[in-house]
Amino acid sequence: MRRFTLIAVPYFWLLVLFLVPFIIVFKISLSDTALAIPPYTPTLDLNSGWEGIKGFFADLDWENFTFLTTDDLYWKAYLSSLQIAAISTLFTLLIGYPIAYAMAQSADEWRPTLMMLIILPFWTSFLIRVYSWMGILSNEGFLNQFLMWTGLISEPLVILNTNTAVYIGIVYTYLPFMILPIYAALEKLDASLLEAAEDLGCSRLTAFWLVTIPLSKQGIIAGCFLVFIPALGEFVIPSLLGGSKTLMIGKVLWEEFFSNRDWPVASAVAVILLLILIIPIVLFQRNEQKQREAEGQ
Amino acid sequence: MRRFTWFNATSLTLGFVFLYLPMVILVIYSFNASKLVTVWAGFSTKWYGTLFQNEAFLDAAWVTIKVAVVSSTFAAVLGTMAAYVLVRGGRFMGRTLFSGMIYAPLVMPEVITGLSLLLLFIGIGFDRGMMTIILAHTTFSMCYVSVVVSSRLVSFDRSLEEAALDLGCSPFEAFRLVTLPVIAPAVISGWLLAFTLSLDDLVIASFTSGPSATTLPIKIYSAVRLGVSPEINALSTMMISIVTVGVISASLISKRAAVRQQREERAAERIDD
Amino acid sequence: MAETAFAPWNDESATPLIQFKNVTKRYGDFVAIDNLTQDIYAEEFFALLGPSGCGKTTMMRMLGGFETVTEGQILIAGQDMNNVPPNKRAVNMMFQSYALFPHLTISENIAFGLKREGKPKPEIDARVDEMLRLTRLEKFAKRKPHQISGGQRQRVALARSLAKAPKLLLLDEPLGALDKKLRQDTQFELMDIQEKTGTTFVIVTHDQEEAMTVASRVAVMDEGQIIQVATPADIYERPNSVYVADFIGDVNIINGHATRAGDGYDVTYAEGTAPLHAKTSNDLGNSAKCALAIRPEKVSITAQKPSKAANTVKGKIIDIAYLGNLSTYHVELANGQMMKAQAANTRRLERRAFTWEDSVWLSWTDTAAIVLEA
């Protein structure tokens, strides 16, 4: 009986507040917009019995999805989200790897402190960290003042409200997610492997390329997914740092919902976003699985 | 063979400058006397003063804290239960669905989670307010708690529970007297994680809040959308300081405890007879 | 010796404390315990010995109630235990990892089981003190498990499992985590405590020396079955199979053909050599394939052919392992068979009688070897 309660309580909670909402999103994505409260039709009318249910299903259609393909705003937004997420993941990797590598090479007594310094921003408000760049990147911001003071530029650079600012924002906020799994992989790396590689005739650079990189592959993959997946659906960063030309699907969904109050289209956008996300999520799970199996042996 | 080279030193330095400089600048400019945030006009704490007179911010902060405390407590309880079910529950109907529902919210874009919960609340005619934010935050943060707690449970020596049963505990007593005290640090860090997630959350709270309840992130967002404001700088500085003090002292405490434990263990090996 | 006096297994009228009756345990397709029947008597120190995966731990965990029986029955003091959960059994277990509760002090750990019984506090305190004295842990009562050494932790685990005065104590590799020297001391301590408390001990181990030292009887297991149950001396001197002979200690196995001769068997093992003779009560019929098992220390090595030995073979020294007090000679016989002979190093190394490539004679008496079914 206790076991039943133990399973049932969290199960029921997640069913009602996680699974059922998704089914509702899916259902509304098949409905039509209406000037009503709630602003969509049909609504399920259980009072009219079986006829009501039949009528309800008859009114559902794929119209909103067809609409998404005809209006190029949407598929452009999906493509540009994918592009922004992919490019910023690459930059995060290029910046994160040397940091993780240096942490793994540092003295034992330094590592907990370095680790804490990496994790600390994670505990700080995401919104504030994004906001902190607004003051730096704006036309009269800190960066432009600094560059003009050094004489490198004479006219302020326009960075805020462009895609560049979005890249900077994503790299900055998700950097710890890249560093931590790579560091975890590099820390486990046995230093004698590199000695063995050099003993067998590798230079330092080839040893790094042939031993360190392959052995930290799992960490690299995990880190990339941990950045790519949330970046794809990101809303706060494009909304605060991006400009009107920055197209990201999270922002489109938000605007569709709050500004246009078109709930069925917003739901359809969400359903497609989920379908796109399933691929990297499944790949990520498989990578984690592989790692667990490797560690289990 | 640890090689600490100039390359490593440079990448660490640049990395930490990148991570911390924006926040340092933010903190410095919060003491700027000028309303124009980009022009330094001398040191002043006046923005902290105006912040504390801003009723709307104070109300939002109070709502945020209430939501965070309640939702993280629910999340800690539900997440620990879920972790126990995942690690120790054995087989039951719909186990795959259950573990899927635990892991999915971790990778779910917030806009989707927020949208779907909002549609649920409207669908069942639930008035939006503090209650709905609490329900929403509990749902996604319980998954984080359950990940933290289940990773502790996996490494938990199962024979401790068996020993408790062997010495006459019922399964529930074994959980209460042995398992829970041992995994307590993980439950506490899960609670802290849930608490910060709730404090931070903008997107889900925006979807699920009603006119009666506005949280601090919603307030900050609507203020900064119009541009940088010195009051927000002051508020951010306070939030950054609280987190910094908290994290540093927590890590000092845990480091001290680890050092003490190590020393005691070494001493213990010496007293061997 | 105590072993000759205490032998309830030879007493027809004695009732066993534990009875395994046709017990089978399966995990899916894997058979962990295969139709096993075995009695264990009160006050025994019974060792389950075998390689990992042989089912010894499963057997013990079934006694503790942590595994259910697939088929058959386990009785403790005549009571069927099949549906009794671990917390309702008068059986306690000492875990391999010790499983000391890290958040409780040593005395709280020992008192844990007593508190569950709801005994009055003075009684619990008295019992805890008694256990602390028994295991010489009085000084450490207020410490946490991480503040004491491995050997002391082992004693706390023992004290905790004995505190409730169980009828039966199960010990899962109790000394596995200790280093060799400490393990030897602790073995005697375990025997001492077992004798003082009169508790029945069932111990699981993969260390044959440990089993031989502590146990009144040893059960050698393999693939879910008990191959032989006997006193340590009998297991060593009279193994019932090649598996047991090979598992316990060092042994020479000569495969050959046995024909009945006098009060034993003649064993032919190679063409053109005289058969080897061994006295035995084992019955292999008149003529059968067999394995002859001889312990290296029972084989003498000499330069000249001994005149009076029952069995002699000629060979060449291939290798010498110098162990300090002993040397083991690896000798190759004419047919290519390798044999080991052990001799005490009574003389200094440089005056050693034999060296590599020497031609030598190996000999043993007709009671030294055991004839086993091949």
Side-chain angles (χ1 to χ4, degrees), chain C residues 168-326:
Chain C
L168 169 63
L169 183 70
L170 307 170
L171 303 101
D172 185 3
E173 305 268 4
L175 312 175
L178 306 181
D179 60 48
K180 193 166 181 200
K181 172 106 183 51
L182 192 56
R183 189 158 43 192
Q184 283 169 349
D185 297 344
T186 315
Q187 283 167 2
F188 290 103
E189 213 168 81
L190 266 186
M191 291 161 74
D192 195 39
I193 288 174
Q194 195 256 345
E195 225 161 275
K196 266 190 207 157
T197 57
T199 313
T200 311
F201 277 26
V202 172
I203 182 175
V204 157
T205 178
H206 65 271
D207 179 348
Q208 40 135 331
E209 239 174 78
E210 185 173 303
M212 305 282 279
T213 313
V214 299
S216 58
R217 279 196 300 166
V218 176
V220 180
M221 293 188 70
D222 186 39
E223 294 186 342
Q225 287 180 317
I226 292 183
I227 311 293
Q228 185 174 15
V229 183
T231 60
D234 279 353
I235 287 270
Y236 190 76
E237 300 289 347
R238 280 183 280 283
N240 69 353
S241 60
V242 174
Y243 177 80
V244 174
D246 198 32
F247 191 75
I248 309 279
D250 209 355
V251 74
N252 292 300
I253 301 283
I254 300 174
N255 289 305
H257 194 92
T259 36
R260 199 186 286 280
D263 51 359
Y265 285 93
D266 276 342
V267 177
T268 47
Y269 68 98
E271 289 200 18
T273 53
L276 303 168
H277 185 72
K279 284 188 187 173
T280 183
S281 53
N282 286 3
D283 189 11
L284 277 76
N286 282 329
S287 171
K289 281 178 75 177
C290 75
L292 199 63
I294 316 142
R295 300 285 179 196
E297 72 275 13
K298 293 193 169 63
V299 179
S300 310
I301 181 163
T302 46
Q304 306 299 321
K305 183 171 182 176
S307 51
K308 274 190 278 182
N311 300 292
T312 51
V313 293
K314 194 173 179 331
K316 189 170 74 175
I317 295 178
I318 298 296
D319 226 334
I320 305 172
Y322 175 70
L323 305 170
N325 55 342
L326 296 171

Side-chain angles (χ1 to χ4, degrees), chain A residues 21 118 192 288:
Chain A
I118 293 293
S192 61
E288 295 287 288

